[in-house]
Amino acid sequence: MDSVNTIVEPSRELPVWADVDVCVVGGSCTGLFAAVRAARLGASVVLIERSNCFGGVATNALVLVWHSLLDTEFKKPIIGGLTKHVLDRLAARRAAEPVGNESVGYRMNTEELKIELDMLVKEHPNITPMLHTFGCRPLVEDGRITAMLVENKDGRGAIRARVYIDATGDGDVAARAGVPYTVRENLQPPTPCAKILHFRQEGVRFGEIYRDHAAEFGLPPDSGWDSPIPQLPNIFMAAQTHVFNVNAADAKDLTYAEMEGRRTIRAVVDMMRKYTPQGEKVALVQLPSVIGIRETRIVAAEHCLKEEELLHGVRFDDAIANGSYRIDVHAPEGGGFLFKYLDGRQVFAHNQRYQEGRWREPTPTNPTFYQVPYRCLYHRSVKNLLTAGRMINSDRGAFGAVRVMVNMNQTGEAAGTAAALAARADADVTRVDSVVLRKTLADGGSIIY
Ligand SMILES: Cc1cc2nc3c(=O)[nH]c(=O)nc-3n(C[C@H](O)[C@H](O)[C@H](O)COP(=O)(O)OP(=O)(O)OC[C@H]3O[C@@H](n4cnc5c(N)ncnc54)[C@H](O)[C@@H]3O)c2cc1C
């Protein structure tokens, strides 16, 4: 925020609300899975989330697709752990189903996901959940966080922990603790998702309607996607617009993006009522409680994951996550997506037009998955802090692939496991033995190669 001038906040004593092994700030599946994995290793954990539920983008922003748990040939399982566990639990309630075939992934009824995540937390009595609680400020002394200051309806208090995990997406904790970070010039833009009744109808191509009539409704050139929702016939999740040129980690930009995003959703509904055969049957069912944010701060770590490493399937000794989702970069303006695949193909997609090419020549064999090393989750400047989620240190291309939830969930599980190991040994997160970490992850259900 721009400031008019400054005032001095008087210093005061704060109550310590908890003194635990691990404090996780941010309660998407990334943060919640970190908490569960740490708790399962016997750690006492506080899990702080600013909104009214867990799940992050999946619940609050209505993003309902988890991508494939298999390699690019759809043969080898590469992702297990809590992602698979939660999908199985949802599938048992018919609240998750494969998208076409399992190569794409699964779609969920994310309202059911909220409840399943509550249950998962409650199954671990050594996790203290704190909803409606904002992680405000880490106190740092000699390169270690000594307390996390949080605020909620009770006022302001401190959480003391041996190890802290920043799972805020934006890297709020790391940035305020002084870990270096960057915000790219060409950020992937946020999208306001919505549930819309009768969004789809056989033979109606939304992309063409958007292309021909968007301007009449004050919408910029753009393109997006939509999905049916398990258990809810005729209701679709539509992610059809972006709000361009905003940094969602900037308070003023974020306010603008939320309001502009809601305007674009109404404009889409009105356009469909006028130009589709569904007409007045089209209705807005649900707005997101937060705009879907793709990218803000990228927080420094000991390793920056590169597009080159990812596309060539480079293996790491300290790998803690595997992924097969393609590079998928949303254009910073004008709509369109650039996809790059591990087999050398490249596609630019915009409004159902596809420009196909290659980023490299064909080869007889191709890598079928990529990896994320543990070194992407910590930086030597703060020795008891791990970062998990979309602030992950990665270049623009690598970020386009690793950012999806099945990958971010694994960074959470790894951070929780590493945090529990570090807390138990009273060691820095930089000193966690990657052999032990990988074995402990595998013993807890993760697929480790
Ligand atoms: C519109 C859209 C569509 C997408 N489509 C897909 C898709 O189909 N499949 C897919 O897998 N991925 C998709 N992605 C990408 C993916 O959803 C995100 O990259 C991923 O969810 C990021 O996870 P995260 O845990 O890092 O962040 P988030 O999900 O944003 O979680 C951060 C959590 O921290 C909380 N928080 C933040 N700051 C604080 C604070 N200071 N104190 C307390 N709590 C805090 C937030 O409330 C939130 O719960 C999409 C993203 C967007 C925006």
Side-chain angles (χ1 to χ4, degrees), residues 32-346:
L32 189 145
F33 287 3
V36 168
R37 292 299 289 259
R40 286 184 179 175
L41 292 171
S44 53
V45 184
V46 164
L47 174 59
I48 295 161
E49 166 55 43
R50 70 178 169 192
S51 68
N52 79 331
C53 66
F54 299 110
V57 167
T59 51
N60 285 321
L62 310 179
V63 176
L64 76 177
V65 173
W66 278 1
H67 294 103
S68 174
L69 309 187
L70 304 173
D71 71 350
T72 55
E73 291 177 337
F74 316 129
K75 287 183 189 148
K76 180 170 170 156
I78 57 163
I79 300 169
L82 290 168
T83 300
K84 172 92 172 54
H85 177 71
V86 166
L87 278 173
D88 287 345
R89 288 168 70 141
L90 289 172
R93 296 184 54 80
R94 290 182 299 106
E97 62 192 22
V99 179
N101 62 49
E102 289 181 31
S103 58
V104 180
Y106 303 84
R107 57 187 165 229
M108 304 172 276
N109 179 337
T110 56
E111 298 303 307
E112 288 274 351
L113 175 64
K114 285 181 188 170
I115 301 168
E116 214 57 52
L117 295 176
D118 284 346
M119 289 168 62
L120 193 52
V121 170
K122 285 192 217 157
E123 287 159 19
H124 297 85
N126 46 342
I127 300 178
T128 305
M130 297 176 81
L131 292 173
H132 290 292
T133 302
F134 196 85
C136 305
R137 187 182 156 201
L139 299 183
V140 183
E141 273 172 43
D142 297 330
R144 303 183 71 81
I145 298 179
T146 54
M148 184 70 210
L149 306 189
V150 302
E151 285 214 8
N152 60 23
K153 285 286 179 188
D154 293 344
R156 191 167 173 96
I159 309 296
R160 267 208 208 113
R162 287 162 189 249
V163 182
Y164 297 80
I165 298 176
D166 182 343
T168 62
D170 296 321
D172 284 5
V173 181
R176 286 169 196 169
V179 181
Y181 67 86
T182 53
V183 178
R184 279 189 260 272
E185 288 279 299
N186 44 6
L187 285 173
Q188 293 203 45
T191 287
C193 300
K195 288 184 188 160
I196 298 178
L197 183 65
H198 293 296
F199 182 85
R200 271 194 203 174
Q201 183 165 304
E202 195 81 13
V204 178
R205 293 168 77 101
F206 178 83
E208 288 168 14
I209 292 167
Y210 192 98
R211 184 193 60 211
D212 296 342
H213 303 290
E216 180 187 336
F217 293 85
L219 294 165
D222 207 345
S223 54
W225 59 280
D226 59 270
S227 168
I229 306 170
Q231 304 171 311
L232 300 178
N234 302 322
I235 297 177
F236 297 83
M237 197 293 284
Q240 293 294 352
T241 57
H242 297 86
V243 180
F244 297 111
N245 297 311
V246 292
N247 168 13
D250 174 288
K252 204 168 160 187
D253 276 15
L254 184 56
T255 303
Y256 163 78
E258 292 284 12
M259 295 170 75
E260 173 62 7
R262 288 191 279 271
R263 181 192 75 78
T264 67
I265 290 169
R266 175 175 282 183
V268 162
V269 169
D270 289 348
M271 180 172 66
M272 295 192 66
R273 285 183 168 168
K274 186 165 176 187
Y275 288 109
T276 64
Q278 300 98 295
E280 292 297 315
K281 285 199 308 189
V282 176
L284 179 58
V285 177
Q286 188 181 350
L287 287 167
S289 48
V290 65
I291 192 168
I293 298 168
R294 288 197 173 77
E295 181 180 5
T296 53
R297 297 186 191 104
I298 294 293
V299 173
E302 293 307 308
H303 185 79
C304 173
L305 190 65
K306 316 248 178 359
E307 173 175 335
E308 190 79 351
E309 292 169 331
L310 187 131
L311 285 174
H312 289 100
V314 168
R315 296 282 175 267
F316 297 98
D317 290 348
D318 58 341
I320 46 82
N322 308 308
S324 58
Y325 185 65
R326 60 193 173 184
I327 288 182
D328 168 359
V329 178
H330 291 233
E333 225 164 349
F337 317 84
L338 177 65
F339 301 129
K340 287 188 184 178
Y341 299 82
L342 274 65
D343 64 4
R345 287 177 301 125
Q346 171 174 313

